[in-house]
Amino acid sequence: AVGGSGGIDSVGPVKLVFSTVLGNTYRGIEAGGGANLELRDVGTLTSFGSVVALPQGGPNCANVKSTISEGFNFSDDSSCGFTTPTDKQSAGDPGLDELRDNAGPTATHLPLAGSPLIDAIPNANCDDGNTVAGSPVVADQRHLVRPEQTGGKCDIGAVEVQLPPAPVEVVIRFTG
């Protein structure tokens, strides 16, 4: 981006639910350059189950005047104000693959094996972002079910890792 923030630039409040804002670049001088998310004027960030990380040359969040964390957010610095007991702030690398086609309508960052985002939200809390979103969130960005198994945990971010189907054992018997 040449003006504003590289990922999200808003003059009003921003709500993130199961979102991934990652690795954005910004070539301007506002916010010190490189911010993933910049809020102007109102400056309120409300977030649940989202990852904001790895900006190119600046903070994750610039000009955030207040944060309402509904929990289970991940950031690699402290600029977004994710401070509830279930948030992971200044938590290092989120373990996401590069932006690519992962079988959905848009390119996504798929969590890699061992990513701290995988199964980070207990099943009992998977619906906690519905109020922030204004409607039930039952699928990921690729339109795949969230959580990926009945009674399972949800992943932080836009993509819910799906388990491969269990192998089917075929036994051949000759009866003749």
Side-chain angles (χ1 to χ4, degrees):
V2 292
S5 181
I8 298 172
D9 185 7
S10 176
V11 295
V14 169
K15 294 181 180 182
L16 300 175
V17 178
F18 289 120
S19 297
T20 299
V21 184
L22 184 83
N24 291 286
T25 59
Y26 160 64
R27 295 182 299 244
I29 57 171
E30 299 168 66
N36 270 319
L37 183 147
E38 182 173 0
L39 305 181
R40 303 167 195 236
D41 300 333
V42 177
T44 300
L45 171 63
T46 304
S47 186
F48 171 79
S50 296
V51 57
V52 183
L54 306 175
Q56 303 298 306
N60 282 317
C61 296
N63 299 323
V64 173
K65 298 191 179 33
S66 65
T67 298
I68 302 168
S69 174
E70 298 294 335
F72 302 101
N73 296 293
F74 183 100
S75 64
D76 63 345
D77 72 12
S78 61
S79 64
C80 296
F82 297 144
T83 58
T84 72
T86 60
D87 289 329
K88 295 176 181 183
Q89 180 172 264
S90 299
D93 191 327
L96 292 167
D97 198 3
E98 65 185 60
L99 189 64
R100 66 175 69 201
D101 182 357
N102 289 302
T106 60
T108 54
H109 291 281
L110 186 70
L112 299 168
S115 168
L117 307 178
I118 298 173
D119 290 341
I121 305 173
N123 182 269
N125 299 100
C126 286
D127 294 336
D128 290 358
N130 292 349
T131 302
V132 177
S135 63
V137 180
V138 296
D140 73 356
Q141 184 173 330
R142 301 169 301 157
H143 304 294
L144 299 175
V145 68
R146 184 188 297 270
E148 50 84 25
Q149 59 183 337
T150 303
K153 298 177 180 180
C154 288
D155 299 341
I156 294 173
V159 176
E160 182 74 16
V161 175
Q162 305 291 311
L163 293 175
V168 176
E169 183 177 329
V170 177
V171 177
I172 300 173
R173 296 182 192 186
F174 295 98
T175 59

